[in-house]
Amino acid sequence: MGVTYVTSRDAIMKWYCLFLKGRSEFTAETGLLEQGFEVYLPKAIDNKTKKIKPLFPEYMFINLEIGVDDFNAVKYTKGVRCFTPTQNPTQVPTHIIEELKSHGNNE
């Protein structure tokens, strides 16, 4: 069993939901990862086509620190439409992200 260290930055990082442009989930994921952001795009395998698809079409999660990370860089990434809701991005509780990840739906 490994030891997990929590830095002060980890303690103030918060998850937010992004609303994406149609069928742009993988483009947005790649663009945000290339900029160094931590993102989570839950995925599943389509039983008919056997292809990997987003579990929640047009939505993904991003881990940010308000006042430090550049929200404009996120908003202007190819494939990103806006934060949800658009006026004041609402935090997604970490336990919800952890629960999604624990179900192994990120093929």
Side-chain angles (χ1 to χ4, degrees):
M1 185 167 20
V3 176
T4 302
Y5 295 95
V6 177
T7 66
S8 59
R9 181 165 165 81
D10 291 333
I12 51 180
M13 299 287 289
K14 304 295 181 197
W15 287 97
Y16 298 90
C17 185
L18 294 176
F19 181 46
L20 308 172
K21 296 177 182 174
R23 299 182 184 182
S24 296
E25 295 89 356
F26 299 112
T27 301
E29 179 184 40
T30 299
L32 291 166
L33 289 171
E34 287 175 350
Q35 293 177 70
F37 292 107
E38 179 184 3
V39 297
Y40 178 56
L41 177 62
K43 301 169 189 165
I45 296 177
D46 186 305
N47 291 330
K48 293 179 184 177
T49 65
K50 304 299 182 200
K51 292 184 179 181
I52 295 174
K53 65 173 189 169
L55 188 62
F56 306 118
E58 298 183 14
Y59 290 92
M60 74 178 336
F61 303 99
I62 187 165
N63 199 10
L64 299 171
E65 181 180 348
I66 291 180
V68 174
D69 288 313
D70 186 356
F71 277 52
N72 282 327
V74 174
K75 290 191 302 188
Y76 293 109
T77 298
K78 187 174 183 177
V80 174
R81 189 177 305 268
C82 60
F83 283 89
T84 57
T86 56
Q87 296 300 319
N88 295 311
T90 302
Q91 296 174 10
V92 177
T94 301
H95 73 273
I96 291 176
I97 302 299
E98 291 171 355
E99 182 71 20
L100 285 168
K101 288 181 176 183
S102 75
H103 287 287
N105 59 6
N106 208 30
E107 300 295 326

